[in-house]
Amino acid sequence: GEDVEQSLFLSVREGDSSVINCTYTDSSSTYLYWYKQEPGAGLQLLTYIFSNMDMKQDQRLTVLLNKKDKHLSLRIADTQTGDSAIYFCAETPNRDDKIIFGKGTRLHILP
Amino acid sequence: DGGITQSPKYLFRKEGQNVTLSCEQNLNHDAMYWYRQDPGQGLRLIYYSQIVNDFQKGDIAEGYSVSREKKESFPLTVTSAQKNPTAFYLCASSPRRQSSYNEQFFGPGTRLTVL
């Protein structure tokens, strides 16, 4: 079946790197996404990666994809207080228009 | 400004009453979606619509109904049959897909509390 798994909580000191991990099950997914949700708000697309890529970098964000292990990670360098949010991993199975979201990882920044 | 709006932000209803949540988009997107978010549960798909006058059930459609009479609007009715309606409701839209890439654009959400 379709499933996206990620840990629910992560605490990181301000200035350190945050690494949020995700595993997915559908090998047909050609795109994988990271969405960010700030408190009391909707989700915003943060970044995405195409399945034929291993890595994608965008300023402080680095996405790593291990397609063999169906493992996706998001690294946030120099974590700031404004990065405090819930981060959702998501995949688009090739066969339909739905996006499968993980349960979200709440990132807490320690001073 | 282009975007997706949901109103109201907070909604209170008595148990046993139906309530309709509004979702409007001016992005000219074909597809629209309704999700329910509960703490620790992530997003669960209620209904989605890929075109006007057509919609499909998601994973948790029981106790909910939708309509898609206009491209811009996709209202969600939470009926009295929904056993646990208190939650945060998110609406999203996405353009017609040219490939399997499917970025969804989200509204700010409506927090429904049933007393």
Side-chain angles (χ1 to χ4, degrees):
Chain A
E2 306 158 341
D3 205 6
V4 177
E5 303 261 351
Q6 48 184 133
S7 55
L8 293 183
F9 297 101
L10 177 67
S11 289
V12 171
R13 293 212 175 274
E14 190 175 357
D16 287 352
S17 291
S18 306
V19 180
I20 303 171
N21 294 301
C22 165
T23 57
Y24 61 97
T25 54
D26 197 320
S27 56
S28 76
S29 290
T30 49
Y31 287 92
L32 295 125
Y33 312 83
W34 284 104
Y35 280 81
K36 177 182 180 182
Q37 183 182 32
E38 297 188 357
L43 279 67
Q44 273 190 301
L45 181 67
L46 202 56
T47 186
Y48 67 93
I49 188 166
F50 187 53
S51 60
N52 69 351
M53 298 169 67
D54 297 323
M55 185 180 88
K56 180 179 179 182
Q57 188 146 4
D58 183 2
Q59 298 182 331
R60 292 192 297 122
L61 305 178
T62 304
V63 178
L64 295 177
L65 175 61
N66 181 329
K67 201 172 176 184
K68 175 176 163 288
D69 294 338
K70 298 194 188 81
H71 183 265
L72 184 73
S73 69
L74 173 70
R75 178 176 178 270
I76 305 172
D78 186 25
T79 308
Q80 304 296 309
T81 54
D83 296 324
S84 181
I86 302 176
Y87 292 83
F88 291 90
C89 173
E91 61 172 342
T92 306
N94 218 9
R95 60 187 170 281
D96 60 32
D97 279 338
K98 293 192 281 187
I99 292 182
I100 311 299
F101 288 92
K103 287 183 167 47
T105 299
R106 185 180 293 274
L107 177 62
H108 179 60
I109 314 302
L110 301 166
Chain B
D1 275 25
I4 180 165
T5 57
Q6 292 183 244
S7 60
K9 189 157 179 67
Y10 299 95
L11 192 54
F12 296 88
R13 277 294 180 271
K14 290 184 179 177
E15 198 172 332
Q17 289 181 334
N18 290 359
V19 60
T20 297
L21 280 59
S22 163
C23 178
E24 305 277 329
Q25 54 99 0
N26 60 4
L27 300 166
N28 199 32
H29 285 172
D30 288 299
M32 296 186 75
Y33 310 79
W34 273 106
Y35 295 91
R36 171 182 171 136
Q37 185 177 21
D38 297 282
Q41 293 277 341
L43 272 66
R44 292 185 288 171
L45 182 64
I46 305 172
Y47 268 98
Y48 65 106
S49 166
Q50 294 170 289
I51 197 167
V52 174
N53 291 324
D54 188 41
F55 47 82
Q56 288 80 40
K57 291 182 180 179
D59 302 315
I60 55 162
E62 187 176 345
Y64 299 98
S65 66
V66 292
S67 62
R68 187 87 188 273
E69 295 175 3
K70 297 187 298 182
K71 190 175 185 178
E72 305 81 29
S73 178
F74 191 41
L76 173 76
T77 297
V78 184
T79 75
S80 55
Q82 168 48 234
K83 294 192 180 1
N84 186 17
T86 294
F88 190 51
Y89 291 87
L90 286 161
C91 181
S93 68
S94 64
R96 182 185 295 275
R97 290 172 63 182
Q98 303 297 328
S99 68
S100 54
Y101 180 71
N102 184 6
E103 177 183 355
Q104 293 190 1
F105 295 75
F106 283 80
T110 292
R111 186 166 297 280
L112 173 64
T113 303
V114 175
L115 306 168

